[in-house]
Amino acid sequence: MAGRYCSLARQSAPAFAPGLTAERLSALIGQRSMWVNGTVLHYYFFDGQDDGSVIAVPGTTQSRRVSWVGAEDQRSVVRDCFREWQELGIGLSFVEVGDRTEAELRIGFQLGDGSWSAVGKDCLQVGQNERTMNFGWELTVPGERATALHEIGHALGLLHEHQSPFAGIHWDDEAVYAELAGPPNFWSRDKTYVNILRKLDPSEVNGSVWDPQSIMEYAFSGGLILEPEQFRAGLNPPGTLSPADKEFALRWYPPADGAQPPALEPFRSVPLRLAPGEQADFVIDPPETREYTVGTFGANDCVLVLFEERDGEPRYVAGRDDGGQPHNATMKARLVKGRRYFVRVRLYSAWGPGETAVMCW
């Protein structure tokens, strides 16, 4: 059975003044939902007797009210997840308030309505008596704390990672539609397209490299993804904030007063699942121009060569392939933001199947 998935409403395309350059348009689109750094975001839990939705009773002409009020243990999970995001050292802060008119983020717990959130500043367009975030299932059961981290990520302005155009995911579309049409989601084809199959514009995505370990990545069962091949059997992110999640949040919302962010782990690719003698290419789109160290993790003996893509053709940058002379591969190279690079890895021996990955830091 499919997992429970967060669903976002379809957003209309923003309108901008004519004559803007492509670079300026990209910047406006990318920043449209992000908060001004230093913002204090106030959140409120609906708690009134009349706070709820009126829904139809199936098979009758009657309706009933379903409450938005969550139990204290559910609220505690959400509070804890706000703290986890803030303790990264980001320049935003979160304060719980008891008056909905003071809150940018208004949180309900309507069971059966799915889990979702307005994205970033989009919540400012929502009426003060309406939810900007909802949790539609229990958050205290194992694995569901990730749902709260995920929805708060949306409130910060992050979108779904699997919709990144850099992911290179080739779906079995009809299998995806069939999976999401059944329990527990019961999604229409349009909702499935908007939340899974639709590719985001490059200006909208969370980073220039797909992060399958991101808290913004769904888990998918086997048979839905055709490519990359290593995810045909399923994609299962850990449900925690990944190094790339932390780096993105700190890049958009750097600490105030010159404080230094916590040390970040180096970026690690997905496991390349190479057998000895096999090779694979891993793409790098550097987020900034500087010298990087590129290496491998989980392999004792391999060769590593870095190429730059120019006019659709590879151009050698660094590394070596000694024609059968393996070595532990690490190299330094200056990479330029906006250019596309790929690392070719040829494996000779490994610690275990599926462990080899590329690291870039």
Side-chain angles (χ1 to χ4, degrees):
M1 185 174 72
R4 293 186 176 98
Y5 292 150
C6 156
S7 62
L8 300 181
R10 181 190 289 272
Q11 297 294 317
S12 57
F16 298 109
L20 294 175
T21 65
E23 183 179 38
R24 179 60 176 157
L25 277 172
S26 179
L28 288 171
I29 293 170
Q31 298 173 20
R32 181 172 61 95
S33 296
M34 307 303 291
W35 298 97
V36 174
N37 196 41
T39 298
V40 178
L41 291 176
H42 306 86
Y43 65 93
Y44 165 82
F45 295 114
F46 283 98
D47 59 1
Q49 181 176 329
D50 295 328
D51 292 330
S53 299
V54 176
I55 65 172
V57 178
T60 74
T61 58
Q62 299 178 331
S63 61
R64 64 185 179 94
R65 178 174 290 276
V66 181
S67 177
W68 294 344
V69 180
E72 183 57 31
D73 59 351
Q74 304 294 303
R75 299 184 187 199
S76 293
V77 173
V78 178
R79 292 187 187 105
D80 183 59
C81 290
F82 274 117
R83 280 193 295 270
E84 182 168 345
W85 276 106
Q86 187 165 341
E87 287 173 359
L88 296 179
I90 60 176
L92 300 181
S93 57
F94 307 103
V95 175
E96 183 177 348
V97 295
D99 184 343
R100 71 187 64 184
T101 65
E102 299 176 2
E104 294 83 15
L105 311 178
R106 294 177 297 281
I107 303 168
F109 295 83
Q110 181 181 331
L111 296 178
D113 193 36
S115 291
W116 47 265
S117 173
V119 177
K121 292 189 296 183
D122 291 351
C123 69
L124 301 178
Q125 308 303 315
V126 179
Q128 289 185 340
N129 291 320
E130 298 297 324
R131 296 165 292 167
T132 69
M133 184 183 298
N134 187 74
F135 296 102
W137 50 80
E138 291 287 326
L139 300 178
T140 56
V141 301
E144 291 301 345
R145 183 177 181 275
T147 299
L149 287 173
H150 180 104
E151 301 307 340
I152 294 170
H154 283 316
L156 295 180
L158 280 69
L159 294 172
H160 287 144
E161 190 71 15
H162 53 272
Q163 294 183 271
S164 167
F166 305 120
I169 296 179
H170 179 201
W171 300 97
D172 183 333
D173 290 7
E174 290 306 317
V176 173
Y177 283 127
E179 178 98 347
L180 274 294
N185 299 287
F186 299 106
W187 281 4
S188 67
R189 289 177 71 90
D190 182 67
K191 181 174 284 191
T192 298
Y193 174 77
V194 168
N195 285 280
I196 296 182
L197 299 178
R198 180 178 67 94
K199 299 296 185 190
L200 298 171
D201 185 275
S203 62
E204 298 178 274
V205 298
N206 304 340
S208 59
V209 176
W210 176 43
D211 178 19
Q213 306 300 308
S214 172
I215 194 63
M216 306 312 294
E217 176 60 73
Y218 286 172
F220 293 101
S221 57
L224 303 182
I225 296 175
L226 300 177
E227 300 291 342
E229 184 176 356
Q230 62 262 40
F231 297 117
R232 290 180 183 175
L235 173 57
N236 295 288
T240 56
L241 298 181
S242 73
D245 291 331
K246 300 172 186 178
E247 183 177 15
F248 177 79
L250 286 163
R251 187 166 69 247
W252 267 107
Y253 305 117
D257 303 324
Q260 293 298 311
L264 298 176
E265 299 177 41
F267 177 78
R268 177 180 173 181
S269 77
V270 299
L272 297 175
R273 300 191 181 278
L274 297 178
E278 293 182 340
Q279 74 176 32
D281 292 345
F282 175 73
V283 175
I284 297 176
D285 292 294
E288 57 182 306
T289 299
R290 62 177 175 85
E291 184 177 67
Y292 290 81
T293 299
V294 183
T296 56
F297 177 87
N300 289 326
D301 297 307
C302 62
V303 294
L304 194 68
V305 184
L306 179 68
F307 298 92
E308 178 183 345
E309 187 177 77
R310 287 287 188 94
D311 300 321
E313 298 294 329
R315 178 180 296 182
Y316 172 83
V317 175
R320 73 181 192 270
D321 185 340
D322 294 333
Q325 299 298 316
H327 60 279
N328 293 325
T330 300
M331 59 191 176
K332 290 184 180 293
R334 181 174 173 81
L335 306 184
V336 178
K337 180 179 179 180
R339 295 183 185 173
R340 184 179 175 89
Y341 300 85
F342 61 93
V343 182
R344 180 161 295 161
V345 183
R346 180 175 297 161
L347 187 66
Y348 286 87
S349 64
W351 295 342
E355 292 185 352
T356 307
V358 172
M359 302 185 79
C360 181
W361 67 98

